[in-house]
Amino acid sequence: MVRTALRAILSSEPDLEVVGEAGSGAEAVPVVRELRPDVVLMDVRMPDVDGIRATERILGTVPDPPRVIVVTTFENDSYVYDALRAGASGFLLKRARAAELVQAVRVVARSDSLLFPAAVRALAAEHAAARGPDREATARALRERLSEREAVVLRLMTDGLSNSEIAARMAVGPATVKTHVGAVLTKLGVRDRTQAVIAAYESGFVTPG
């Protein structure tokens, strides 16, 4: 019933196409490998193979893998943070309105903004300190890897600013920001903005408050 509702909402949008469904985490991996979607909506809690493990398998085994949005009941659930650490690009509450669902898919597919930045920052602030080892040393190492401009871009990314907003704040062109963002992701060894935010918090480069 839930999948039927999601399909109906997304299929009604002219720029979105639902290419497949899976009833479990175990089924999701071969379906994604065959159909190669741009975005996957993944339930975080499922029997046998949960959304965290399924996300890891998809991102680790599918060439040019899709963006993953985990769908959850509780936004402060540690499972959600684990899914983001596993590589998910964002999360969506099951009670989200249809417009929020559609917007989430578009934002994650575009990948130039952070999905629900305040919620991601709150999760990182709550869980990151317990996950990041020797934060003073890792923060120093991260700062040494980044140029001054890249460090500014990373801080603005953790604030939830999009590429265009960062460009306006720094008085540079969008292409320059895109280059800086790409360099930050490469130097942090992450694939998107969400993982960059988590790395910034876990390393101590950004601290809550």
Side-chain angles (χ1 to χ4, degrees):
M1 290 176 62
V2 172
R3 297 206 311 273
T4 298
L6 292 175
R7 174 182 282 274
I9 292 168
L10 295 170
S11 297
S12 67
E13 299 297 319
D15 58 331
L16 302 179
E17 178 185 3
V18 179
V19 297
E21 298 179 24
S24 69
E27 293 176 13
V29 181
V31 168
V32 169
R33 189 177 291 119
E34 177 185 356
L35 299 177
R36 307 299 296 277
D38 298 305
V39 178
V40 172
L41 290 174
M42 179 78 72
D43 197 335
V44 72
R45 291 180 183 251
M46 293 179 288
D48 300 324
V49 178
D50 63 24
I52 301 168
R53 302 287 86 78
T55 296
E56 289 176 336
R57 292 180 187 179
I58 287 171
L59 299 181
T61 64
V62 176
D64 190 19
R67 307 280 176 176
V68 176
I69 301 174
V70 292
V71 184
T72 180
T73 302
F74 305 107
E75 61 187 286
N76 62 349
D77 195 327
S78 63
Y79 276 83
V80 176
Y81 189 71
D82 287 340
L84 297 179
R85 292 183 90 241
S89 296
F91 70 92
L92 186 70
L93 296 178
K94 291 183 178 179
R95 63 176 182 271
R97 298 187 299 272
E100 292 175 323
L101 167 65
V102 171
Q103 179 66 6
V105 172
R106 289 179 177 143
V107 167
V108 167
R110 196 169 56 238
S111 75
D112 64 353
S113 301
L114 192 64
L115 180 61
F116 304 139
V120 172
R121 290 199 305 272
L123 270 175
E126 180 179 354
H127 296 282
R131 310 296 181 92
D134 193 4
R135 289 159 61 80
E136 183 176 343
T138 53
R140 184 169 57 252
L142 191 153
R143 284 192 293 268
E144 291 173 352
R145 290 202 303 273
L146 300 177
S147 71
E148 183 177 343
R149 277 294 180 93
E150 290 163 358
V152 172
V153 167
L154 177 56
R155 290 189 184 280
L156 295 176
M157 287 167 61
T158 63
D159 286 339
L161 273 64
S162 66
N163 282 4
S164 59
E165 290 168 333
I166 294 173
R169 182 75 62 87
M170 298 179 66
V172 297
T176 299
V177 172
K178 185 175 181 180
T179 298
H180 286 321
V181 170
V184 169
L185 299 185
T186 298
K187 290 182 178 181
L188 267 59
V190 298
R191 69 185 301 264
D192 66 21
R193 305 169 90 89
T194 301
Q195 279 71 56
V197 171
I198 290 173
Y201 273 93
E202 289 196 349
S203 68
F205 178 82
V206 172
T207 55

